[in-house]
Amino acid sequence: MRRAPTLPIAAAVVAAVVILCVAFTAGVAAAPDAGAVPAASAGNGPVTSDAVPSASAAECDPGDGTELVGCWNGTHYEESVDFGETDGLNETQLAALTDLTMARVEHVRQRPFKQDVPVETVTRSEYANDTASGNGSEAFRRWNDQVWEALFVVGDDTDANDEIDSVFGGAVSGFYSPSQDRIVIVVPDGESPDIDPSTLAHELLHAMQDQYHDLTDPRYVGATQDGDLAVDGIIEGEAVHVEERYAARCADNWTCADAPEGDGGGGGAEFNFGILQTVLQPYGDGALYVRELRDEGGWAAVNETMNDPPDSTAEVIHRNPDYEEGNVTLEDTATEGWETYSDQGVDGAETTGEASMFVMFWYQSLEYEYPILDPSASVRENVQIHLDAEAELETRGTYNYAHPVTDGWADDELYPYRNGDRDGYVWATEWQTEADAAAFRDAYVRMLTAHGDDEYADGTVYEIDDESDFPGAYGVERDGTSVTITHAPSPAGVLELRPDADLALPDADGDDGSDGDGTGDGTDDNSSDGDSGTDDGDGSDGDDGTDGGSGSDGDTEGSTPGFGVAAALVALAAALGLFARRAA
């Protein structure tokens, strides 16, 4: 996955194209023609002028230049490398594996590399030490805390930046650094370097992208969280698409090295799955997006999209390059000393986007056992919404980030505020239709009342007590296609942040607990009854997936072809009780 150091979920990765080792499957099942790229055609997808035929074995000589496809340093893509039983690769073996993998990536992508790509290894502890605590200034960390708290993913007493460090430090299996033109593979501590060939193929594709498009160009760094994830949709999407086809060829007719055994990805570390599932979105949706682009316009369509990356995760989720976005306009009217962070985000604001919003609601089911997305279904069924994707990849499972509650996203701006030691935020959202806005508003109210003890009174500031991970006061306003959420430590603080809001303080008008418009039904959606987690959250039978994803059952055995191994998501697999599957 690609992260940029100036962005909230990116800082720890230091401008590297990173791959999360979150694969977990029993093997690769290839479709008969998956990844098959005949020398004179584009395989799946139209034949276009940018498709370059691969060289024959007879044409592949060590002295040939970089114009040949499927041949690198005299190694032809149809050759094989067999190192036998080893305790890791030495430098000569690593160089041979890199040459073969570059030739094969060229063949699959139908484009030659322009230069060699150095490949190095680093231990997981070294990587974690190098990348931890790199999340910017104290102002940024405080600002970013409010972003993830607003998403109900990181609680009030938890440091979001430490949670992000944990995800990246424990779940990254390799990265390509555009600024240094090199690949670094993260290997387990105490073991000789051994490399998953699919990881290498994925990262080499990033190197190829850099050679043709220059990944240091500002267009490949989104200005917001949603923008950065959207850009990753094409960057990671192309890498996963190529890696998929590469793995399929390994399962079909290539001789490929086995993926290394061992954990390779966190050693059973616990992750915040709200953060993890947010940053994973470009891998699945992006690969499907690229597959459709290529099916319709060949590699030329992928190149064009690389030159003009997606603007929002909504575009990638719905695989619609013409997705219509809106425009949030929010005037800062805060009083009593509240101020924004003008030097953070975009003039103080973050755009979370559709992917992050979906994860917000889904995470309440996984972590807290509240059925928010579908209040009529059980907690288990609400968790399963994320796992039931209509479209699938050939070699891996993928996640669903589309739901009627968030499908109508058009724009959002989240402004963290500070006032001495008090924190708050105003989150303005815009939706395609009034019905979309109402659906989001109602789900948000369900989430509030699930964490709180009281019914929701429409037009009244709502309070959540200190027992919750998200205490404080919340004001929710809907006006047509706009929904604005305001949070402060106290009800009075909400009206200080939004003095013109049409909101009453609690009990100011003799609150009778009614919700005014019939949407404040959150008290029926918490875990107090049988449908909301009583029989779905104990984990006693090992298949319900509602124990909050604690990751305590950290089985780290097993490895897979791909760009990672089981450890990073084995805790989630245990929590969800899933069959072996793959997510990268």
Side-chain angles (χ1 to χ4, degrees):
M1 177 171 191
R2 180 187 146 280
R3 297 285 88 209
T6 57
L7 299 181
I9 58 177
V13 185
V14 196
V17 179
V18 179
I19 193 163
L20 297 177
C21 59
V22 293
F24 54 115
T25 183
V28 175
D33 64 343
V37 188
S41 77
N44 300 326
V47 177
T48 60
S49 59
D50 66 322
V52 182
S54 294
S56 67
E59 294 173 309
C60 187
D61 293 320
D64 288 331
T66 60
E67 69 277 1
L68 292 181
V69 171
C71 175
W72 194 258
N73 286 336
T75 300
H76 190 254
Y77 72 91
E78 290 181 320
E79 296 180 25
S80 62
V81 174
D82 184 7
F83 301 128
E85 296 295 327
T86 67
D87 292 327
L89 303 179
N90 59 37
E91 290 186 9
T92 300
Q93 293 169 332
L94 177 57
L97 177 61
T98 300
D99 288 343
L100 176 62
T101 309
M102 290 180 72
R104 289 177 167 181
V105 168
E106 285 187 338
H107 173 67
V108 171
R109 183 54 180 84
Q110 298 187 284
R111 185 170 65 178
F113 283 96
K114 295 182 177 182
Q115 61 189 42
D116 271 310
V117 183
V119 179
E120 305 170 12
T121 61
V122 64
T123 66
R124 180 153 305 284
S125 61
E126 290 172 334
Y127 175 79
N129 289 337
D130 287 344
T131 57
S133 302
N135 293 29
S137 67
E138 183 58 35
F140 167 79
R141 296 176 69 89
R142 185 174 175 183
W143 176 87
N144 196 33
D145 272 342
Q146 289 303 298
V147 170
W148 287 97
E149 186 177 342
L151 289 167
F152 276 60
V153 167
V154 178
D156 183 61
D157 293 331
T158 304
D159 189 304
N161 305 281
D162 291 343
E163 296 286 281
I164 293 165
D165 281 348
S166 177
V167 168
F168 281 101
V172 169
S173 71
F175 63 89
Y176 171 74
S177 171
S179 62
Q180 299 175 352
D181 299 322
R182 65 171 183 145
I183 290 171
V184 176
I185 304 296
V186 182
V187 299
D189 291 289
E191 298 182 19
S192 300
D194 206 355
I195 294 176
D196 186 329
S198 292
T199 300
L200 185 56
H202 183 107
E203 294 307 327
L204 282 169
L205 193 279
H206 285 317
M208 181 181 283
Q209 289 172 330
D210 189 35
Q211 291 177 12
Y212 281 85
H213 300 282
D214 183 10
L215 295 182
T216 64
D217 190 288
R219 64 183 160 176
Y220 299 119
V221 179
T224 65
Q225 176 167 308
D226 189 56
D228 203 45
L229 289 171
V231 171
D232 280 349
I234 184 62
I235 293 178
E236 294 301 337
E238 182 185 15
V240 172
H241 179 69
V242 168
E243 184 230 343
E244 260 213 322
R245 293 166 60 78
Y246 186 105
R249 288 298 298 265
C250 288
D252 185 15
N253 61 353
W254 281 349
T255 300
C256 301
D258 293 331
E261 296 182 359
D263 67 32
E270 295 183 9
F271 301 106
N272 180 306
F273 288 108
I275 294 173
L276 182 62
Q277 295 305 105
T278 300
V279 299
L280 283 179
Q281 183 269 332
Y283 291 91
D285 285 331
L288 296 169
Y289 183 63
V290 168
R291 188 171 75 182
E292 289 198 7
L293 287 172
R294 187 170 172 273
D295 284 346
E296 295 174 3
W299 289 117
V302 179
N303 293 338
E304 290 171 6
T305 307
M306 275 292 299
N307 290 329
D308 185 16
D311 294 321
S312 68
T313 56
E315 178 180 333
V316 179
I317 291 169
H318 302 290
R319 297 187 281 286
N320 178 10
D322 299 320
Y323 188 92
E324 292 187 11
E325 299 178 29
N327 185 26
V328 167
T329 55
L330 180 67
E331 182 181 357
D332 180 10
T333 59
T335 62
E336 304 300 326
W338 287 98
E339 60 180 1
T340 62
Y341 296 76
S342 59
D343 57 346
Q344 303 298 332
V346 178
D347 297 327
E350 179 64 286
T351 296
T352 64
E354 182 175 344
S356 298
M357 287 180 172
F358 172 88
V359 172
M360 171 178 69
F361 291 131
W362 171 80
Y363 187 63
Q364 307 314 303
S365 299
L366 178 71
E367 180 69 16
Y368 298 102
E369 301 180 14
Y370 300 145
I372 306 302
L373 287 169
D374 184 355
S376 66
S378 68
V379 170
R380 180 190 305 179
E381 291 168 329
N382 271 262
V383 171
Q384 195 67 29
I385 289 170
H386 183 43
L387 310 176
D388 292 337
E390 290 185 7
E392 295 182 356
L393 301 174
E394 296 287 356
T395 61
R396 72 197 67 224
T398 188
Y399 296 109
N400 170 51
Y401 291 83
H403 191 273
V405 164
T406 52
D407 277 354
W409 177 92
D411 194 14
D412 73 273
E413 290 184 356
L414 170 58
Y415 287 88
Y417 278 80
R418 57 187 168 186
N419 189 345
D421 61 357
R422 293 190 294 165
D423 294 311
Y425 54 80
V426 177
W427 189 8
T429 71
E430 186 66 27
W431 300 87
Q432 302 284 354
T433 67
E434 291 190 13
D436 294 332
F440 172 79
R441 180 264 187 196
D442 293 351
Y444 190 87
V445 167
R446 286 197 295 273
M447 183 172 68
L448 287 183
T449 55
H451 285 273
D453 294 326
D454 300 320
E455 294 184 9
Y456 184 83
D458 188 44
T460 303
V461 176
Y462 187 82
E463 286 188 274
I464 298 177
D465 64 33
D466 291 341
E467 297 299 316
S468 169
D469 286 344
F470 306 97
Y474 296 82
V476 182
E477 310 164 74
R478 183 173 78 84
D479 182 7
T481 58
S482 300
V483 179
T484 303
I485 297 160
T486 308
H487 168 67
S490 67
V494 169
L495 296 186
E496 291 172 1
L497 284 167
R498 292 273 293 166
D500 298 329
D502 187 16
L503 294 169
L505 295 175
D507 299 322
D509 59 353
D511 180 12
D512 60 0
S514 65
D515 62 8
D517 62 359
T519 57
D521 56 354
T523 54
D524 293 331
D525 299 326
N526 59 30
S527 58
S528 61
D529 61 18
D531 262 350
S532 34
T534 304
D535 64 350
D536 291 325
D538 59 7
S540 59
D541 62 0
D543 66 357
D544 55 25
T546 55
D547 64 0
S550 65
S552 58
D553 187 10
D555 178 11
T556 60
E557 294 182 1
S559 59
T560 65
F563 56 78
V565 295
L569 277 190
V570 74
L572 181 58
L576 302 179
L578 298 176
F579 55 85
R581 60 180 293 170
R582 185 184 160 94

